[in-house]
Amino acid sequence: MIPDRIIEQGTLSAHDGRVSVEVRLPWYRALPASCISGAKLAVDGVEAPVDSLRWQMNGEEFTFADMKTNTEQWWFPTDSAVLSGEIGADAGEHEVRVDLELYIPYIIIADDQVLHIEEHDTKTMTVRQVEEARA
């Protein structure tokens, strides 16, 4: 719905072989963690291994398996989440791509199905090393 605002510009960070980027909800209403069914993170066309992906929101970090049944944590449109994965990134500019898969639980499209959306965003930004980000 709002795919060009998924990636927060200027939030690409790198530390110890992992990169992270802040992402925003491309929907107008909050969703529980269980509705965030998947994501992909790529830097310069190199995709992070799926098993290395981590999702951080509300001060807690999760795997996508952890979130599958989690209805306690909610992602709000005004809050950024952090998507991270194992990809190396040197200093300089990089193309970052994030793909999100979400379920919209209150839009029923069949007797046993709710709306499933896939949104994508790509931005070019300069990587910040974690030490720089803290300064």
Side-chain angles (χ1 to χ4, degrees):
M1 182 169 187
I2 314 168
D4 62 328
R5 292 182 48 210
I6 292 173
I7 299 172
E8 290 275 0
Q9 187 66 37
T11 62
L12 178 63
S13 296
H15 181 67
D16 289 340
R18 289 187 71 82
V19 297
S20 65
V21 66
E22 291 183 22
V23 294
R24 297 296 291 264
L25 179 61
W27 193 249
Y28 65 99
R29 291 178 67 181
L31 294 174
S34 61
C35 290
I36 306 163
S37 62
K40 292 179 183 177
L41 173 62
V43 175
D44 297 328
V46 177
E47 203 169 292
V50 173
D51 62 341
S52 77
L53 293 175
R54 298 294 178 269
W55 186 267
Q56 184 180 18
M57 65 181 179
N58 305 323
E60 293 186 47
E61 187 173 271
F62 306 95
T63 65
F64 285 92
D66 294 336
M67 293 193 308
K68 197 169 196 159
T69 59
N70 185 334
T71 57
E72 300 295 316
Q73 295 292 323
W74 284 72
W75 189 18
F76 296 92
T78 56
D79 296 339
S80 293
V82 177
L83 177 62
S84 67
E86 291 177 1
I87 309 175
D90 297 329
E93 277 197 346
H94 298 276
E95 181 185 85
V96 179
R97 179 177 170 99
V98 171
D99 301 324
L100 290 177
E101 297 176 20
L102 307 170
Y103 287 101
I104 311 302
Y106 42 83
I107 299 180
I108 300 167
I109 59 173
D111 287 342
D112 61 348
Q113 243 181 331
V114 297
L115 181 63
H116 177 246
I117 62 172
E118 295 180 14
E119 296 289 353
H120 319 278
D121 190 13
T122 302
K123 289 205 172 41
T124 299
M125 63 182 91
T126 302
V127 70
R128 299 179 304 156
Q129 298 299 321
V130 169
E131 293 72 23
E132 288 179 28
R134 292 185 184 149

